[in-house]
Amino acid sequence: LRPKMRIEMSDGLFVTLVKELGVGSFGSVWLGKREGQDDAQASIAVKEMGKTAGTGLPEALFEARCLKMGTESLGRIKPKIPLYVGERLLNKESDNWRLWLAMEKVNGGPIDKWLYDMKDDDFKRVDLAKFTDPAQSFGGLYRTLPFHKAVAIVKGFFRQMSPTFEIVEPVCQHRDISAHNILVDDRGGGELDFTVIDFGLAVDTNHWRQEWRRSNLGGDVRYWAPVHWFQFFYGYKYIESANPYYARMYATRLDYFAMGILGLEMLFGLTKHDEVDNVDLPGLRDLRLAWDDYWCYITSVFQRIWGSDGLGGVRTKL
């Protein structure tokens, strides 16, 4: 794909590409303009996926299915995911297949950019002291708000995500919930709009609950549940034998745990450094200290995985 390129999607939809919005391990995303639409409805996003981008055709087609599911639910509620616009599959029988997936262009940017004023790649090198030392703090909204405002934002986040996952969960498990894969649109006046993006690692819920034992680990390790690590170190037999709840959590609750971690990240990331000491809530200071310890440690693991160690090296050293 390239700027100003005119492409044909399904059902006679023509799109002119404007610019590349981003590149990830599963493909690239472009800003496009739909022909025959007014300006308010013309802007869409087009994601190109292919074998060389590191994903398989069934996974790419399933991502399209996930977005279709959200669009088909509009009679009840608009889920906080990009709405499906169209798709086109090229060279289906070839190793050089390509899938163009057109979707609603969502306003806003990733939570990590909003909170820390950092790109996703920056966390692979960030000085861990910046998370806890006020003299070395981040940009963005990091530790700038009163506690009650941080609480209100997190409550609003869960109020938006709960009905979304009521719709999404019966169809797919996202498996990659993180501060980079949820967009936030600050509309001013305290009104924030959150949207879940990137279903590239999503799996069919019914198949996953039967086949999780043979499936690869996925997602950002900073948001992994404890059972992720049990699977990583010991395998599925340990999960099944150690505690029946472990298997149920791995099969049905991975997205829930990641959402909980993200909620804590926003709560303590937004709250001012000294604000916790001034809030009359027993145990809050200890909880913040425990969060700081966890987040610094798990970020160091994240950095080692993305460094020279890789997953195998981290498994050995841990």
Side-chain angles (χ1 to χ4, degrees), residues 13-60:
L13 170 66
F14 286 90
V15 178
T16 300
L17 302 179
V18 179
K19 63 179 180 179
E20 191 174 60
L21 296 175
V23 179
S25 58
F26 291 92
S28 59
V29 179
W30 289 75
L31 174 64
K33 293 285 187 180
R34 284 192 282 191
E35 295 184 4
Q37 298 284 341
D38 58 37
D39 289 342
Q41 297 179 321
S43 293
I44 61 172
V46 178
K47 183 173 184 178
E48 182 183 43
M49 294 172 278
K51 183 175 181 180
T52 56
T55 190
L57 180 56
E59 290 79 13

Side-chain angles (χ1 to χ4, degrees), residues 7-127:
I7 61 175
E8 182 179 3
M9 308 295 291
S10 55
D11 301 323
L13 170 66
F14 286 90
V15 178
T16 300
L17 302 179
V18 179
K19 63 179 180 179
E20 191 174 60
L21 296 175
V23 179
S25 58
F26 291 92
S28 59
V29 179
W30 289 75
L31 174 64
K33 293 285 187 180
R34 284 192 282 191
E35 295 184 4
Q37 298 284 341
D38 58 37
D39 289 342
Q41 297 179 321
S43 293
I44 61 172
V46 178
K47 183 173 184 178
E48 182 183 43
M49 294 172 278
K51 183 175 181 180
T52 56
T55 190
L57 180 56
E59 290 79 13
L61 291 173
F62 185 72
E63 182 171 0
R65 179 186 163 195
C66 291
L67 300 190
K68 284 182 181 178
M69 165 269 303
T71 306
E72 292 165 354
S73 71
L74 286 178
R76 295 181 290 142
I77 186 175
K78 182 183 184 303
K80 299 293 186 174
I81 65 175
L83 298 182
Y84 174 89
V85 174
E87 66 187 78
R88 184 178 179 187
L89 178 59
L90 306 172
N91 304 322
K92 179 180 179 180
E93 306 302 330
S94 167
D95 284 343
N96 193 34
W97 63 267
R98 283 286 184 275
L99 179 68
W100 296 338
L101 173 59
M103 66 193 83
E104 170 191 25
K105 171 67 173 67
V106 179
N107 293 327
I111 287 178
D112 51 12
K113 177 65 176 176
W114 168 76
L115 180 58
Y116 304 100
D117 193 26
M118 288 176 56
K119 298 178 181 178
D120 188 41
D121 278 354
D122 294 337
F123 289 93
K124 300 172 186 177
R125 301 172 286 277
V126 67
D127 182 354

Side-chain angles (χ1 to χ4, degrees), residues 173-184:
Q173 307 287 308
H174 188 282
R175 293 207 310 152
D176 198 13
I177 296 298
S178 70
H180 189 66
N181 284 337
I182 296 185
L183 304 184
V184 54

Side-chain angles (χ1 to χ4, degrees), residues 268-299:
F268 291 119
L270 290 166
T271 302
K272 294 179 180 178
H273 280 277
D274 58 353
E275 181 81 7
V276 169
D277 296 328
N278 301 323
V279 176
D280 186 18
L281 192 61
L284 181 62
R285 185 175 184 276
D286 289 340
L287 180 59
R288 215 281 296 279
L289 291 173
W291 167 257
D292 286 347
D293 287 344
Y294 168 78
W295 196 241
C296 287
Y297 174 74
I298 201 63
T299 302

Side-chain angles (χ1 to χ4, degrees), residues 243-257:
N243 189 322
Y245 173 73
Y246 293 164
R248 186 163 68 90
M249 183 178 186
Y250 196 88
T252 66
R253 291 292 184 266
L254 297 184
D255 290 343
Y256 288 75
F257 189 90

